[in-house]
């Protein structure tokens, strides 16, 4: 029996051209994820929009999120943000295009502002992926984007690349989290009998294997700093827990959200019957 997936709406937001700390790998990660989701989509893609660099202003980001309210109730909405995150006085913020570390808070996107925009999307399934430092701060707030959103929609999933007090490792070729998540979303071992892969299952698999890759990336960074004679900085990176990236997720576990579909594995039976 063929099981039809939900129609999909994509919004991808990427900022690599920050004035003082560019992120050349962000676009590569976004493209990886988009390719996996589109090539293996569990359902028809009805709409997709990219906001890259100069288009990813605070005004445009919040406007396009609100525009996702045009999606039908039966749709699945996937929002991806790749860029810098900021932690100020115990609160997490997203840095849109034009913002920098010393920008006024009004030029950043607070979790409350993000929540107010997302809660206007009246669909059954919402997947929000925040691929930035300190993004886990979102999940610690009792805002519409956590408790109320999970109650209002049939299915919702919010994924942060790392915890509230921790950085998300990023290099010129991308980060650690998104490539690993992409592997999970195309792994037939994680699919059901119809070949569908749920984001909850993919996330759990990603968390299981990402630590080894994070440790390897930290070792490479430390070695590079040592070779440059930056011994104090190398020691700081090695010892500081802020670099120990750990993804986090909040979602309903009783109802899987299927993002991709692959060819399911066929388990051969005993030839003797």
């Amino acid at each position: 029996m063929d099981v039809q997936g939900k129609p999909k709406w994509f919004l991808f937001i990427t900022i690599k051209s920050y004035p003082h700390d560019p992120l050349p790998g962000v676009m590569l990660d976004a493209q990886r994820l988009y390719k996996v989701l589109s090539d293996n989509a569990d359902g028809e893609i009805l709409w997709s929009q990219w906001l890259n660099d100069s288009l990813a202003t605070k005004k445009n980001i919040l406007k396009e999120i609100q525009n996702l309210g045009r999606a039908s109730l039966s749709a699945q909405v996937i929002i991806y943000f790749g860029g810098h995150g900021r932690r100020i006085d115990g609160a997490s913020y997203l840095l849109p295009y034009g913002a920098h570390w010393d920008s006024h808070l009004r030029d950043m996107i607070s979790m409350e502002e993000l929540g107010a925009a997302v809660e206007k999307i009246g669909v059954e399934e919402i997947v929000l992926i925040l691929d930035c430092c300190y993004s886990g701060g979102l999940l610690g707030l009792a805002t519409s984007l956590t408790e109320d959103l999970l109650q209002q929609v049939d299915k919702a999933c919010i994924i942060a690349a790392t915890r509230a007090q921790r950085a998300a490792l990023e290099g010129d070729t991308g980060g650690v989290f998104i490539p690993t998540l992409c592997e999970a979303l195309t792994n037939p071992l994680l699919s059901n009998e119809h070949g569908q892969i749920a984001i909850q299952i993919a996330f759990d698999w990603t968390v299981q294997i990402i630590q080894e890759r994070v440790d390897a990336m930290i070792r490479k960074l430390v070695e590079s700093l040592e070779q440059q004679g930056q011994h104090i900085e190398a020691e700081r990176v090695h010892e500081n827990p802020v670099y120990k990236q750990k993804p986090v997720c909040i979602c309903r576990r009783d109802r899987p959200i299927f993002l991709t579909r692959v060819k399911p594995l066929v388990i051969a039976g005993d030839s003797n019957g």
Side-chain angles (χ1 to χ4, degrees):
M1 180 181 66
D2 184 34
V3 177
Q4 183 65 37
K6 290 184 175 295
K8 303 187 184 303
W9 289 53
F10 293 157
L11 175 59
F12 274 66
I13 305 160
T14 66
I15 306 107
K16 66 176 183 179
S17 300
Y18 289 99
H20 304 300
D21 196 1
L23 295 172
V26 161
M27 177 58 73
L28 297 176
D29 276 343
Q31 290 171 341
R32 289 185 183 105
L33 181 60
Y34 183 83
K35 179 173 176 56
V36 164
L37 293 178
S38 56
D39 289 354
N40 305 276
D42 179 45
E44 182 182 4
I45 300 173
L46 296 183
W47 184 88
S48 65
Q49 174 76 12
W50 285 76
L51 295 178
N52 300 327
D53 278 343
S54 61
L55 293 178
T57 62
K58 178 176 180 176
K59 179 179 178 181
N60 284 349
I61 290 172
L62 296 178
K63 177 183 177 181
E64 288 300 332
I65 291 176
Q66 292 175 355
N67 283 342
L68 289 169
R70 297 181 290 114
S72 64
L73 176 64
S74 63
Q76 179 188 90
V77 165
I78 301 172
I79 303 171
Y80 169 87
F81 175 88
H84 276 308
R86 188 85 162 93
R87 187 80 172 164
I88 303 175
D89 296 331
S92 295
Y93 297 83
L94 306 181
L95 269 60
Y97 182 80
H100 53 81
W101 302 121
D102 298 323
S103 291
H104 194 281
L105 294 183
R106 66 171 174 266
D107 297 322
M108 304 180 188
I109 300 176
S110 70
M111 294 303 143
E112 288 80 5
E113 290 174 311
L114 185 61
V118 171
E119 73 173 350
K120 293 182 173 64
I121 305 173
V123 299
E124 292 181 347
E125 294 185 357
I126 298 176
V127 178
L128 175 61
I129 302 173
L130 299 178
D131 187 19
C132 58
C133 293
Y134 314 113
S135 50
L138 168 66
L139 280 66
L141 298 175
T143 67
S144 59
L145 203 52
T146 54
E147 294 180 354
D148 291 347
L149 179 59
L150 294 176
Q151 294 175 3
Q152 289 177 9
V153 300
D154 185 42
K155 303 173 184 177
C157 186
I158 306 166
I159 293 176
T162 192
R163 295 185 179 183
Q165 298 82 17
R166 303 196 178 187
L169 300 180
E170 184 79 28
D172 290 346
T173 59
V176 179
F177 175 63
I178 292 299
T180 309
L181 181 63
C182 287
E183 289 180 38
L185 289 170
T186 54
N187 187 345
L189 291 173
L190 304 180
S191 70
N192 62 13
E193 66 272 22
H194 305 293
Q196 297 169 301
I197 299 178
I199 185 60
Q200 296 96 325
I201 301 297
F203 177 84
D204 291 345
W205 185 89
T206 298
V207 171
Q208 287 178 11
I209 68 171
I210 198 175
Q211 191 58 57
E212 180 179 343
R213 298 180 181 184
V214 169
D215 291 342
M217 198 168 185
I218 292 176
R219 285 196 301 270
K220 184 176 181 180
L221 175 57
V222 170
E223 290 172 2
S224 175
L225 291 170
E226 291 281 5
Q227 292 172 0
Q228 299 172 43
Q230 301 182 41
H231 305 296
I232 295 177
E233 180 66 13
E235 182 67 19
R236 187 181 71 85
V237 171
H238 182 264
E239 298 295 335
N240 196 334
V242 73
Y243 296 103
K244 305 293 185 180
Q245 180 177 352
K246 289 191 176 181
V248 286
C249 172
I250 182 170
C251 64
R252 296 180 61 164
R253 290 284 174 163
D254 58 328
R255 297 175 180 175
I257 299 176
F258 297 110
L259 292 193
T260 55
R261 185 184 299 222
V262 298
K263 185 176 180 179
L265 290 177
V266 176
I267 307 300
D270 188 340
S271 61
N272 294 324

